[in-house]
Amino acid sequence: MKDIMIATGNLNKVKEYKEILEPLGFVIHDLSEINHTDVEETGTTFSENALLKAESVVKSCKMICIADDSGLSITALDGAPGIYSARFMGDKTNTETNAVIIEMLKDKADRSAWFTCAIALIDHEGESHLFEGIMEGSIAFEPKGSNGFGYDPIFIPKGLDKTSAELTSAEKNAISHRGKATRLLLEYLKENY
Ligand code: ITT
């Protein structure tokens, strides 16, 4: 009953979920264990895309399936990259994309930004449940740190003077969008499993 499939191709996400859920006795499985085809993220919101991802694997495994859609929204870029965070700059590396974002913001007074994480869970009865978390902050003037992944080196969480890539994973989980959404998920799991 405590087995959970994480429907993500992003191994950093698998690692973050393991860190949060395994100490509580959940056994985390990932897509390397099943046959699946990549789902097209055609939704218009983080929640819709998270549901699409979870639904795409639920038939291939007999356990709770969760998926998350997450990303960075930048106020001065009208919320971009938002739901397009994973493919904002085509084939550019994270390092290149982060440099482009810093360049795009060079004349902007407002550097505020926020991460969103929507987690979709499909339970044993096929019912879906959604949990969402947000981490507010701002875009740094230069990338710093090597922990975390993606946009972490250019994101300074509100109230801190370092980027989320300079935080330990425990420090990041305590304040992050994924950490917050996962704690809501945990409340649900504790009540129901
Ligand atoms: P799956 O769809 O297979 O789960 P993905 O990496 O494509 O993996 P998303 O579509 O949710 O995931 O895109 C999220 C992107 O947003 C991710 O690739 C990062 O670039 C960025 N992102 C999300 N959470 C982040 C975090 O905690 N720290 C830094 N960047 C993050």
Side-chain angles (χ1 to χ4, degrees), residues 6-75:
I6 313 276
T8 178
N10 183 331
L11 293 178
N12 292 297
K13 288 187 185 178
V14 176
K15 178 174 168 280
E16 292 194 1
Y17 281 111
K18 282 189 169 177
E19 280 164 5
I20 299 171
L21 295 170
E22 282 185 344
L24 295 152
F26 290 98
V27 181
I28 304 304
H29 301 264
D30 65 56
L31 294 180
S32 63
E33 298 172 32
I34 58 169
N35 278 328
H36 73 100
T37 39
D38 267 358
V39 62
E40 255 198 87
E41 297 182 25
T42 52
T44 55
T45 62
F46 291 107
S47 297
E48 278 176 26
N49 281 334
L51 257 181
L52 284 173
K53 292 186 222 182
E55 280 163 355
S56 76
V57 299
V58 77
K59 287 195 188 70
S60 324
C61 61
K62 301 245 172 311
M63 58 182 93
I64 306 168
C65 292
I66 67 172
D68 93 42
D69 199 55
S70 48
L72 176 70
S73 304
I74 301 173
T75 310

Side-chain angles (χ1 to χ4, degrees), residues 4 17 21 26 45-51 54 64-70 115-123 127-134 176-193:
I4 301 181
Y17 281 111
L21 295 170
F26 290 98
T45 62
F46 291 107
S47 297
E48 278 176 26
N49 281 334
L51 257 181
I64 306 168
C65 292
I66 67 172
D68 93 42
D69 199 55
S70 48
F115 271 115
T116 306
C117 174
I119 300 177
L121 175 149
I122 302 185
D123 66 22
E127 297 288 326
S128 50
H129 308 264
L130 284 164
F131 312 92
E132 193 167 297
I134 281 176
S176 77
H177 49 310
R178 189 164 300 100
K180 288 176 187 165
T182 309
R183 282 188 282 283
L184 296 176
L185 165 73
L186 272 179
E187 281 173 31
Y188 167 85
L189 289 172
K190 278 184 193 155
E191 275 170 29
N192 295 279
Y193 292 95

Side-chain angles (χ1 to χ4, degrees), residues 119-166:
I119 300 177
L121 175 149
I122 302 185
D123 66 22
H124 291 107
E125 276 80 50
E127 297 288 326
S128 50
H129 308 264
L130 284 164
F131 312 92
E132 193 167 297
I134 281 176
M135 169 164 65
E136 288 182 285
S138 60
I139 301 300
F141 288 94
E142 54 178 352
K144 275 193 190 150
S146 53
N147 299 332
F149 64 99
Y151 300 103
D152 281 328
I154 61 162
F155 184 83
I156 301 176
K158 199 173 181 174
L160 299 188
D161 57 3
K162 49 183 165 182
T163 70
S164 28
E166 295 178 285

